[in-house]
Amino acid sequence: VDNAVGERFDRPGIIVCNHQSHFDLVYTLMLSPRIIALTNEWAWKNPFYRGVIRGADFLPVYDGIEQHIGQLKALTDKGYSILIFPEGTRSEDCNILRFHKGAFLLANELNLDILPLVIHGAGHVLPKKEMLMRKGKVTLSIEKRISPDDQQYRNDRDLLSTAKIFRQFYIKRYQNIAQNEENAHYFQDFVRHNYIYKGLDVYKECQKNLKNIQKLEEEANELPESGEIIIKNCGQGEKTLLFALMKKNLHIIGQDPDQDKIDIAQNCVGVPNNLTYQIQNEKQ
């Protein structure tokens, strides 16, 4: 938890956080016992979650946030802060999605500060479309409160503009955290998990190819930040996957003459959009 601003959550506000994983709620609620979360329809009606979230005074927003202004004001008057994920759903690739305007409408209606939280890593530990957790590091950065009078971020007459401004703020802040955290060591276990159920021989080869992680880190640092490169003799793809995760704006083409290895590489669940594979011509 990075709390350089010294936030104590002793005054109510609208807590805004990006959304990557089921863990996001756990990490944000640990910051203070005086936080109430707003939920979507899926969570509110889910048989596993609904008993807990209703008993904790969480409220649904799928029927319109305006329907609950009175209840929310009563809670904030008691000193509770309201947690909202403005993206409305978890991001599959951890990028910041479009922000909806509900959080900013509520902040205006209740005349409350906005408390930005930026979470990084939760979507790598437990991605949206997976059921198994991985080892990893999660960073939760608490940003400076933004008062109702701050015209740089808040526009009472145009909530869509406010939502767009906040999204840009989150994109930049998230990129800063990612640049500090996302090195070869950070993604090593993520890459390894892509091969763990592909057979013992494949997994042993993966372990071997990821053993010298420091050398892979040095190779990645020599790659350009953008453009397109071809990596020949990529084998079953551990190195190309690692590089693609570290260099998100670089299109990487992995080539290998062995079709079986190409099949293994391109059928990993964690292959990002900036990584493609193709058969390598033996004469190349």
Side-chain angles (χ1 to χ4, degrees):
V1 176
D2 179 4
N3 189 12
V5 298
E7 178 61 54
R8 296 185 296 173
F9 298 94
D10 53 350
R11 291 183 290 123
I14 304 301
I15 300 174
V16 173
C17 185
N18 60 307
H19 202 9
Q20 298 185 343
S21 167
H22 286 306
F23 282 148
D24 298 342
L25 186 61
V26 178
Y27 286 122
T28 48
L29 291 180
M30 76 178 184
L31 297 173
S32 169
R34 304 186 70 79
I35 296 177
I36 297 295
L38 299 188
T39 73
N40 58 23
E41 184 176 14
W42 176 86
W44 185 252
K45 296 182 177 180
N46 184 276
F48 181 79
Y49 289 117
R50 65 188 180 193
V52 175
I53 63 179
R54 296 183 188 194
D57 284 337
F58 292 9
L59 292 171
V61 291
Y62 62 88
D63 55 348
I65 204 168
E66 299 88 349
Q67 307 297 320
H68 304 282
I69 295 291
Q71 293 168 282
L72 293 169
K73 186 177 187 310
L75 290 167
T76 57
D77 286 347
K78 294 179 182 178
Y80 285 93
S81 291
I82 308 299
L83 168 64
I84 301 177
F85 298 105
E87 293 162 289
T89 187
R90 290 163 290 156
S91 172
E92 293 184 17
D93 59 5
C94 296
N95 289 322
I96 307 297
L97 305 178
R98 181 175 72 90
F99 276 20
H100 298 280
K101 64 181 182 179
F104 314 106
L105 168 66
L106 188 59
N108 287 349
E109 289 287 334
L110 300 179
N111 196 36
L112 292 174
D113 295 342
I114 294 175
L115 285 71
L117 303 180
V118 184
I119 196 164
H120 173 273
H124 297 144
V125 172
L126 184 61
K128 181 176 181 177
K129 291 189 174 181
E130 296 185 35
M131 299 297 292
L132 298 177
M133 293 181 289
R134 304 185 179 105
K135 286 190 253 181
K137 177 183 178 182
V138 177
T139 299
L140 182 60
S141 179
I142 303 170
E143 308 296 327
K144 184 180 178 181
R145 281 175 177 257
I146 298 173
S147 75
D149 299 325
D150 192 330
Q151 296 303 310
Q152 179 182 358
Y153 290 99
R154 301 177 66 163
N155 186 335
D156 295 347
R157 295 178 300 277
D158 188 353
L159 294 175
L160 287 177
S161 293
T162 297
K164 291 178 181 178
I165 291 170
F166 267 89
R167 180 174 181 264
Q168 291 304 313
F169 167 80
Y170 271 76
I171 289 173
K172 291 179 182 179
R173 186 69 185 97
Y174 186 84
Q175 288 175 345
N176 289 339
I177 298 173
Q179 287 174 359
N180 290 330
E181 299 291 341
E182 294 182 5
N183 54 27
H185 294 273
Y186 178 88
F187 283 118
Q188 183 178 18
D189 199 65
F190 183 92
V191 173
R192 184 184 295 117
H193 269 74
N194 279 265
Y195 296 87
I196 198 169
Y197 297 116
K198 292 182 179 294
L200 184 58
D201 291 340
V202 171
Y203 185 63
K204 284 183 176 180
E205 180 71 12
C206 170
Q207 292 279 65
K208 175 184 174 183
N209 292 335
L210 292 177
K211 186 174 182 179
N212 194 343
I213 196 67
Q214 186 57 45
K215 181 181 177 181
L216 293 173
E217 173 83 28
E218 293 170 358
E219 287 185 44
N221 289 336
E222 293 177 357
L223 297 177
E225 294 297 325
S226 61
E228 181 177 284
I229 64 166
I230 295 174
I231 297 180
K232 297 180 180 180
N233 299 309
C234 67
Q236 57 187 31
E238 300 91 350
K239 183 165 74 170
T240 47
L241 176 56
L242 182 70
F243 291 171
L245 292 168
M246 294 174 64
K247 302 286 185 175
K248 293 178 172 56
N249 296 317
L250 176 64
H251 180 212
I252 297 176
I253 301 172
Q255 293 184 346
D256 197 271
D258 189 329
Q259 181 66 58
D260 289 340
K261 289 185 177 180
I262 288 293
D263 289 342
I264 292 171
Q266 65 186 8
N267 286 289
C268 288
V269 69
V271 174
N273 293 330
N274 62 321
L275 174 59
T276 55
Y277 290 99
Q278 57 187 221
I279 286 294
Q280 178 181 326
N281 190 320
E282 293 281 6
K283 297 179 180 180
Q284 288 180 318

